[in-house]
Every structure is written in C-alpha cells, then in structure tokens.
Amino acid sequence: MVNSTHIEYKKRMINTWNEIAPRYHKRWSDKNTGPFQSTQKLVSMAKIHRGNIVLDIACGTGAVTRQILAKIGKSGHVIGLDSSQAALAIAKKSIKERNADFAIFDAENFVFSQKFDVITCQYALFFFPNASKALYNIKKVLKKNGTLVLAVHGAGDAVPYFSSILDSVQKFIPDYIPSGAPDLDRFGTRENLKKAIIQAGFSKVLIQEHKFWYSPGTFSKYWSDYHKYLAKPLREKLDKLDQKQKAELRKTILEKTKPYTKNGIIKFPWKVLVLSAKNS
Ligand SMILES: C[S@@+](CC[C@H](N)C(=O)[O-])C[C@H]1O[C@@H](n2cnc3c(N)ncnc32)[C@H](O)[C@@H]1O
C-alpha cells in the first residue's frame, strides 16, 4: 500500500537535499574529519577487492564512492544511487572515472538486473521511512555471500552536536520536525541496528562503535553555522520566533554545550556505528 505521508516526506527530502547538497559537500562530506572519519572505516570493513562490483546507496556527493573506486581498481565497477539530482551532479563532477556510474533512484524502489559483491550505505538508512523495504531491495541485488556495510549516527546524546540543538529547539517549536518524519535515532544503538538487519534476513552481523571528535569552534560559531547550513523550511521556522524566544533558545542551547566546552571552544564526541553483514 502506498503511504501518502511517506510520499510527502520523500518529496521534502528531495527538495532539502537538492537545496543543501553543495553546502553539505563543502562542510562535511568532502572532508574526512569529525563523523566522516567513518568513510575510511566503512570501506575497510567492506573488504572490497579489485574487480568487485559495488553499489553505493544514497551516495550523496560521492564521499564513499570515491574511496570504493580506489579499492576496485580499473577492473571493478561502482554505481552510486541517490534521490537528489543536485547531490549526484556534485558527485559526477568530481568523479570522472569510466567505471563509476550514477543513478537517480529512491532507495526503497530500485531495480538492477545485475547483482553486487558489496553494497554500502553511509548516513542514510535512518532517512528511509520504510527502511525495511530498502533493506529488502538491497538483499535482492546483493550476491549470495555478498557484503552489506552501513554507517549510522549514534542516538540522542551520543551525538551532542545534534541533540544540543534539537532537544532545545523542539521545546520552542513543537512541529520543528514535521509529522510523518521517521525517527532519525531509531538505528542509533547497537541493539536496534542489529535487530533491523537480522529481521531483513542478513547474517554474520558485526558492529563497530566509534567515538570521533568534532569541534564546531566557539558557541557563537556553532549556532550561527547551524542556522547557515539549515534547509530553508526549518530556517523559516526558527526565524519566526520573537526576539525573547530566540534569546531564551540560544541560552538553553548554550547550557547544553557547556559540558563540552573548554576555554571557549566546543569539542563534541560523536558516536558512529559501522556495521557489516552477509547475504548468506
Ligand atoms: C547524509 S547524506 C549521505 C551521503 C553520502 N552517503 C555520504 O556519506 O556523504 C544522505 C543522502 O541520502 C539521500 N537520500 C535520502 N533519502 C533517500 C532515498 N529515499 N533514496 C535515495 N537517497 C536518499 C540524500 O539525497 C542524501 O544525499
């Protein structure tokens, strides 16, 4: 059955990523720092060999795709799949190798006639409203004994970069996260992630928990950058608060960041789960 809330959510996601892809690329995925130290961990956990055929689901601007290419050599082939045209355009611009292709697809609705040795998916599983459907699709196109690797953020306070702002903002703007949006934290613990992958029929599940560090600078820089890199619909909601509410919100967030602040500079821990599983 088609779920209209999911369709609305996906339309918003496509618009959001089409808007923010250039900023996301510049600030995050093009740098292997902070949470993006996971890219190297993920690719190494995948044990990719020369000549492998690899699918990079929700490849975005190509952070993982690029590292896959270095492993497969000229005899391999990688396909990057994403639902955002703008993200794919950036990936295509910087990845010119003839054995890399990109395709615009929804992770819950794609078909390939070929099967893959390895499938990767970094920082996207939680965005799929029907993640079990995406996992079902993944399993269908993964070779027998093929490997799935994915990375997700830790839940709640395991990533205070997100929680310091989100917990506070939601007190002031209860509909900040629109209704119908999936819970982005639902795979952010070892137990929940493992359960979802086993339920989808994968086996030999291994999970690495990493604690990376990320410094957004001073509190003022953290808060102003958050605003600057935000998608327009959310920025508009924040901008509607009156001066008093804005000041109170800023103060609430400031308090949340204090445990991570030393000499005026914030340094956040950032938990990331990297999983590998087999289609056996
Ligand atoms: C946080 S980015 C991760 C991109 C890339 N994997 C990386 O590590 O930089 C999330 C990506 O998921 C994509 N995405 C979200 N929902 C999707 C869906 N249903 N199908 C395909 N891609 C989706 C977005 O367009 C975006 O490029």
Side-chain angles (χ1 to χ4, degrees):
M1 198 176 72
V2 179
N3 183 325
S4 60
T5 332
H6 286 182
I7 293 173
E8 283 310 310
Y9 166 78
K10 281 187 188 171
K11 281 189 195 154
R12 281 201 306 272
M13 281 297 284
I14 292 170
N15 289 339
T16 297
W17 283 100
N18 280 342
E19 184 205 334
I20 68 170
R23 308 203 286 274
Y24 169 79
H25 183 65
K26 201 166 149 209
R27 183 170 185 209
W28 295 109
S29 63
D30 202 29
K31 297 194 172 82
N32 293 323
T33 55
F36 281 87
Q37 293 167 79
S38 61
T39 307
Q40 192 258 325
K41 306 273 183 204
L42 176 100
V43 171
S44 128
M45 218 175 169
K47 297 199 170 67
I48 298 167
H49 299 294
R50 293 211 161 254
N52 274 174
I53 314 286
V54 183
L55 177 64
D56 185 18
I57 305 245
C59 64
T61 60
V64 178
T65 325
R66 208 168 293 113
Q67 292 202 18
I68 293 169
L69 267 170
K71 296 274 180 194
I72 58 176
K74 288 206 166 62
S75 57
H77 187 202
V78 60
I79 299 179
L81 169 160
D82 202 281
S83 55
S84 158
Q85 188 92 53
L88 288 176
I90 295 172
K92 280 184 197 165
K93 208 171 158 195
S94 67
I95 300 177
K96 299 277 189 205
E97 280 83 344
R98 291 170 66 176
N99 56 341
D101 285 302
F102 295 94
I104 186 148
F105 267 123
D106 176 355
E108 294 173 12
N109 294 294
F110 67 84
V111 276
F112 285 106
S113 50
Q114 69 190 114
K115 293 215 174 196
F116 296 87
D117 297 295
V118 175
I119 299 186
T120 57
C121 180
Q122 171 160 276
Y123 298 142
L125 184 70
F126 40 77
F127 284 136
F128 309 150
N130 190 347
S132 49
K133 192 167 175 211
L135 289 168
Y136 173 79
N137 278 344
I138 289 173
K139 196 167 181 305
K140 254 192 352 197
V141 298
L142 188 58
K143 285 183 187 170
K144 187 148 176 62
N145 279 322
T147 308
L148 164 69
V149 284
L150 37 97
V152 296
H153 301 291
D157 286 340
V159 185
Y161 174 86
F162 292 139
S163 66
S164 300
I165 288 181
L166 279 181
D167 292 354
S168 314
V169 168
Q170 280 171 293
K171 282 187 198 133
F172 287 81
I173 312 169
D175 70 341
Y176 187 65
I177 306 291
S179 67
D183 171 7
L184 299 184
D185 270 353
R186 68 200 191 283
F187 301 118
T189 63
R190 186 182 273 275
E191 300 69 35
N192 289 356
L193 182 61
K194 186 170 180 181
K195 196 170 155 204
I197 300 302
I198 297 276
Q199 268 175 1
F202 293 89
S203 60
K204 297 187 184 148
V205 178
L206 294 173
I207 297 178
Q208 293 178 353
E209 284 190 5
H210 297 283
K211 187 178 179 182
F212 301 123
W213 291 93
Y214 177 72
S215 175
T218 60
F219 174 76
S220 294
K221 175 121 182 43
Y222 167 54
W223 185 216
S224 68
D225 275 351
Y226 177 80
H227 190 267
K228 187 168 139 194
Y229 287 89
L230 206 53
K232 200 168 157 221
L234 293 182
R235 196 177 324 122
E236 283 173 352
K237 285 188 184 182
L238 272 183
D239 290 345
K240 273 193 194 142
L241 294 175
D242 63 35
Q243 287 309 320
K244 192 169 164 245
Q245 287 172 318
K246 279 185 188 158
E248 271 178 50
L249 172 60
R250 194 180 191 281
K251 208 171 134 212
T252 314
I253 300 170
L254 178 66
E255 283 308 312
K256 288 241 177 205
T257 61
K258 280 192 176 158
Y260 310 103
T261 306
K262 209 171 159 191
N263 300 326
I265 301 293
I266 305 173
K267 198 175 167 199
F268 286 129
W270 198 308
K271 182 169 164 178
V272 171
L273 307 174
V274 183
L275 169 144
S276 77
K278 288 281 180 187
N279 184 19
S280 50

